[in-house]
Amino acid sequence: MSPTEAIPLLIVVLLMISIGGGDVQELSVTFQGDKDVDSLADVHVVAGGTTTVPGDATVDGDIYVIGGTASIAGTVDGDVTLLNGNLSVVDGATVTGTLQTYSGSATVSSVASVGRVSQFETPTPSSSPAQRVGGFLLQFLVLGAFGWWLVERYPLVIENVGTAITEHALVSGVVGSLGATALLVLFVYMAFTLILLPLAIVGLFAELLIVLYGQAVFGYLVGTRLPIERDGVATLAGIAAFLLALELSGLVPFLGGAVQLAVAVVGFGAVVNTYFGLQRFEPVTIPGGTEP
Amino acid sequence: MEFVTHVRKERWATVAGYVLFVALMVAGYYYNITFVQLGLIDLGTRLVGMSETAVSMWLAALALATLVVAVATGVTMDRRGWSTDLRTKFRLLFGVVCVQFALTLVAPTVRTVPGFGAWIVLASVGLGVGFPVSFSLATDLVPVPDRGYVAAAITAIAYFAANAIPLSWSVDVFSQVLVAAMAPGVLVLAVLSFASFDRLDAVLDALGTQHETYGTGRFCHGAPVRARSLAFAVPVALMFGVFFVDSLGFLRIIDTPSLLLSSWQSPDLSTRLFIAVAHVVGAVMAGVIYANYSLSRVFLWTFALFALTHVMYTSDLRFADVFPAIAGGGTSPLNPALYAIAVSFYTTLNFALWPDLATPETIGTHSAIGIGVAGWLATFSSTALALYFQAADLTLLTHLNVVQALSLLLLFGLAVGLYARRMVELARENGGASV
């Protein structure tokens, strides 16, 4: 596991620890090799190799598995969380807290004693049509309400962003991809400092909001091409049509994903380029050409 | 983009000018980033038997000599009117390519230090004459609004070829490939320089007068930009900073096998292709930004990308320092890809900037000073500093930490400088504070 691969999962662990609110004084990580542990830090992260709690040992602390293998034969007085890799809780082992599985492979003996077993089910889009429709409706309601409000109250603002999308799609795409990627990396590294973790979470959330803003504007642009007179209603219909088209494009392998990504970065760039619609984007004029 | 209009209106002479400029610059730059930057290290260390430090000192000398020759050439071009004479520029370029062709051919046979030194001196003459002449062709061949896109095309093609084509970093291989590639180039330049027949003369006459329309650079409309003015000195200083930071960091990265073998010299073709594509993406992005935003914005993006790249490199190293066991786990291609984007960004800027800060009367001097000081002097200074770091036994993390600090300082300095300039403008506009 390279640092670049390990860092995101370690950040997830840190996030989970900070959200959990426990008093963590010490954190240890195992990256490789076979290791039997008789005692633990407050939190121990298994990122590689094999870490074993022997049958005769009782350790106090939480264990997070993000790679490699954790084998519990003794007693763990705390929680065990599996994010990636392998976990086995063998016959006679005890976990006093919660055994939480998010991903990876877990084998828990039926005769092991575990305080509570919890398995995180990844919500898959195809798992339930009702869920998909619900999610779609929720997204439509949020974006529709926002688009309606913007068109009715600040039509120039949404028009400015729309013009940046239609007339300067390439520039918006470039700025969007550069800006979104740079900010994403920045926020991830800010999170890793722990001190800036709250700011990183706010920043990532803000990035998501900008993408949604861009989607609302795409919907507005679709709405302007519909034969509906009232701007607000046209925007609502446009957002519905746009979201539906976006959802359907996801069914096309590779190309659908590429289209969704392109829409996100172009929208992001257009919002940023226009200062959230406060100013019309005008590229610089370069003198010296032969064309007017 | 004006190129499309020229194609649509069948202005084939102008279109041929674009193609010729891109081809010449790609060839020159590819030669520079392969043979000069990588081949000479192999020649000096493996065939001549010098230490890496000694070779680095010779390369620093090459950079300094190239700067001197370039400035002398650039000033002479402008004073004698060669900068506005297309045929003369082709003839100069033909001479340069002939010299480089011969030098490239004999390079693998060099075995002694004096021979290596003589090779370096002759190469610096070729390079020093070559780059002001080739950059000055932009005023004849590339319309101002398209310079960003043309610069992007040059960067993208040169870096893609350098990364995607799996050549061993050996002077013998570079010599064989480049001699084969240069041979037709010599022929084409000979025809452009000396041949005379109706169709060719018509094309060259058309191209030779284009500098009257396209010659005045983007930043030279209005107040003229002089070599001693701030409008010229500030971009030179900023480009010096970018070249310096890049060179200082890259010298250490290519000296670190674990970083090099997982990126630019990876045995895995997909990794090298990933980096090559990153170069293309970076160049296209830089071209679009150059054509649509102010110069300060392009510099800000360049510095931000470099700062981000070095933050990622040093973060990985710090992480590996804290958890040593992870250091053997290989490195991700994301860091070199981001590095490639940052390098493509400033390379694109470099190709477009100097012609845009000049007129046909000043292009020789301005491109010589610009590229000489920003490119070659920065390379000389960073090599000297890297040698000092090597002598001081600095660790990889400490070395890259210095590079990271410099890149962050550049970013911060530029942001503060732009803010301060806006404050001065406001104070002048209002004659003091206003409500």
Side-chain angles (χ1 to χ4, degrees):
Chain A
M1 187 178 265
S2 75
T4 314
E5 289 162 348
I7 284 171
L9 280 173
L10 273 172
I11 288 173
V12 172
V13 171
L14 293 172
L15 279 168
M16 293 172 85
I17 293 169
S18 63
I19 291 166
D23 182 22
V24 177
Q25 301 289 332
E26 199 184 345
L27 182 147
S28 59
V29 187
T30 303
F31 284 108
Q32 62 181 22
D34 295 343
K35 190 176 175 184
D36 287 356
V37 289
D38 297 327
S39 63
L40 282 182
D42 295 334
V43 170
H44 182 77
V45 181
V46 181
T50 302
T51 299
T52 305
V53 178
D56 55 350
T58 299
V59 296
D60 184 13
D62 296 334
I63 296 176
Y64 288 81
V65 186
I66 63 171
T69 301
S71 174
I72 299 169
T75 302
V76 176
D77 190 7
D79 299 331
V80 177
T81 307
L82 176 66
L83 291 164
N84 192 23
N86 307 300
L87 170 69
S88 67
V89 183
V90 301
D91 295 353
T94 304
V95 176
T96 60
T98 303
L99 196 157
Q100 173 83 53
T101 308
Y102 289 92
S103 183
S105 167
T107 311
V108 183
S109 164
S110 56
V111 289
S113 165
V114 179
R116 194 169 78 89
V117 177
S118 168
Q119 185 154 10
F120 177 75
E121 292 291 342
T122 311
T124 50
S126 57
S127 61
S128 154
Q131 274 182 339
R132 293 187 70 177
V133 172
F136 178 83
L137 284 176
L138 182 68
Q139 197 180 0
F140 167 67
L141 280 175
V142 172
L143 287 188
F146 175 66
W148 175 290
W149 172 77
L150 211 54
V151 164
E152 294 293 332
R153 295 290 299 272
Y154 305 103
L156 194 60
V157 166
I158 199 165
E159 191 189 317
N160 281 342
V161 184
T163 308
I165 290 174
T166 52
E167 292 182 13
H168 306 288
L170 181 60
V171 183
S172 299
V174 165
V175 170
S177 51
L178 266 178
T181 310
L183 286 172
L184 193 65
V185 175
L186 183 71
F187 291 139
V188 168
Y189 276 85
M190 280 167 89
F192 203 54
T193 66
L194 284 185
I195 301 165
L196 297 175
L197 187 62
L199 190 60
I201 293 169
V202 171
L204 288 169
F205 187 63
E207 274 206 85
L208 178 69
L209 289 182
I210 295 174
V211 171
L212 291 177
Y213 188 167
Q215 289 193 345
V217 179
F218 268 104
Y220 156 78
L221 289 171
V222 174
T224 56
R225 282 152 182 80
L226 296 176
I228 300 173
E229 274 193 24
R230 282 194 59 192
D231 290 344
V233 180
T235 302
L236 268 181
I239 287 172
F242 169 75
L243 288 178
L244 194 63
L246 205 64
E247 189 75 17
L248 290 174
S249 73
L251 299 175
V252 184
F254 303 114
L255 188 65
V259 168
Q260 289 176 342
L261 183 68
V263 163
V265 294
V266 169
F268 192 97
V271 172
V272 171
N273 266 341
T274 57
Y275 295 90
F276 288 74
L278 292 174
Q279 180 183 298
R280 199 178 183 89
F281 171 69
E282 293 291 350
V284 293
T285 308
I286 301 178
T290 48
E291 303 306 319
Chain B
M1 198 188 287
E2 289 214 345
F3 179 74
V4 179
T5 312
H6 293 306
V7 171
R8 206 181 297 137
K9 296 191 175 175
E10 300 182 359
R11 294 177 189 143
W12 300 122
T14 305
V15 171
Y18 276 86
V19 175
L20 183 62
F21 185 74
V22 170
L24 286 171
M25 297 303 272
V26 165
Y29 197 62
Y30 182 82
Y31 182 86
N32 197 30
I33 58 179
T34 54
F35 194 86
V36 177
Q37 287 188 12
L38 305 170
L40 290 188
I41 297 173
D42 180 60
L43 173 63
T45 52
R46 190 171 59 85
L47 298 183
V48 180
M50 298 160 76
S51 68
E52 268 191 42
T53 310
V55 175
S56 298
M57 286 171 73
W58 274 109
L59 289 181
L62 169 78
L64 209 55
T66 303
L67 164 67
V68 173
V69 175
V71 172
T73 306
V75 171
T76 309
M77 281 173 67
D78 289 345
R79 287 194 178 162
R80 299 205 170 181
W82 298 347
S83 297
T84 51
D85 186 342
L86 187 61
R87 280 270 191 181
T88 305
K89 285 193 268 190
F90 280 140
R91 282 170 191 157
L92 282 169
L93 214 50
F94 173 71
V96 167
V97 175
C98 285
V99 169
Q100 284 180 323
F101 182 80
L103 285 172
T104 310
L105 196 63
V106 302
T109 63
V110 174
R111 289 289 183 277
T112 61
V113 176
F116 188 74
W119 196 101
I120 290 285
V121 171
L122 285 171
S124 68
V125 173
L127 292 168
V129 175
F131 76 75
V133 174
S134 53
F135 270 75
S136 73
L137 288 172
T139 57
D140 301 289
L141 307 179
V142 186
V144 180
D146 283 358
R147 284 187 184 160
Y149 298 117
V150 167
I154 295 164
T155 307
I157 297 169
Y159 273 123
F160 187 85
N163 285 282
I165 299 171
L167 291 182
S168 159
W169 286 6
S170 123
V171 72
D172 314 79
V173 175
F174 284 139
S175 174
Q176 286 166 11
V177 171
L178 286 167
V179 162
M182 283 163 90
V186 173
L187 197 65
V188 170
L189 276 171
V191 171
L192 290 171
S193 305
F194 303 109
S196 179
F197 49 90
D198 290 348
R199 190 169 283 183
L200 179 68
D201 290 344
V203 171
L204 290 183
D205 287 345
L207 292 176
T209 55
Q210 282 194 160
H211 69 261
E212 292 161 12
T213 314
Y214 305 138
T216 305
R218 172 178 166 181
F219 307 110
C220 296
H221 290 265
V225 174
R226 298 181 195 287
R228 289 178 188 173
S229 66
L230 266 183
F232 184 74
V234 170
V236 170
L238 291 176
M239 284 303 282
F240 178 91
V242 180
F243 270 100
F244 188 87
V245 165
D246 172 35
S247 178
L248 190 62
F250 195 67
L251 280 170
R252 187 59 189 254
I253 288 171
I254 61 168
D255 212 26
T256 309
S258 62
L259 294 179
L260 190 61
L261 292 172
S262 61
S263 53
W264 288 272
Q265 273 217 315
S266 167
D268 189 0
L269 179 64
S270 63
T271 303
R272 292 201 307 274
L273 270 178
F274 184 59
I275 294 171
V277 170
H279 270 298
V280 174
V281 170
V284 172
M285 285 175 162
V288 170
I289 288 185
Y290 185 85
N292 288 280
Y293 290 92
S294 64
L295 188 58
S296 56
R297 194 72 75 90
V298 189
F299 270 115
L300 267 177
W301 270 117
T302 307
F303 290 164
L305 281 169
F306 263 109
L308 193 65
T309 304
H310 286 293
V311 163
M312 288 188 72
Y313 264 105
T314 49
S315 296
D316 272 11
L317 291 170
R318 284 199 177 94
F319 190 80
D321 200 36
V322 176
F323 305 112
I326 207 169
T331 54
S332 157
L334 284 177
N335 290 357
L338 192 59
Y339 202 119
I341 290 175
V343 167
S344 281
F345 235 82
Y346 90 80
T347 308
T348 300
L349 177 59
N350 187 51
F351 280 124
L353 181 62
W354 309 115
D356 272 350
L357 278 170
T359 62
E361 291 73 33
T362 60
I363 180 68
T365 309
H366 285 197
S367 59
I369 294 175
I371 304 155
V373 173
W376 292 97
L377 190 62
T379 307
F380 166 78
S381 337
S382 60
T383 306
L385 189 59
L387 286 174
Y388 171 75
F389 284 174
Q390 201 175 26
D393 281 336
L394 249 62
T395 63
L396 175 65
L397 177 57
T398 314
H399 186 129
L400 291 187
N401 196 42
V402 173
V403 181
Q404 183 196 341
L406 283 172
S407 60
L408 288 171
L409 189 66
L410 274 172
L411 179 63
F412 178 74
L414 180 62
V416 170
L418 289 172
Y419 194 84
R421 190 180 70 174
R422 182 68 188 142
M423 279 177 68
V424 170
E425 282 171 3
L426 285 172
R428 281 185 184 157
E429 279 170 19
N430 303 326
S434 65
V435 285

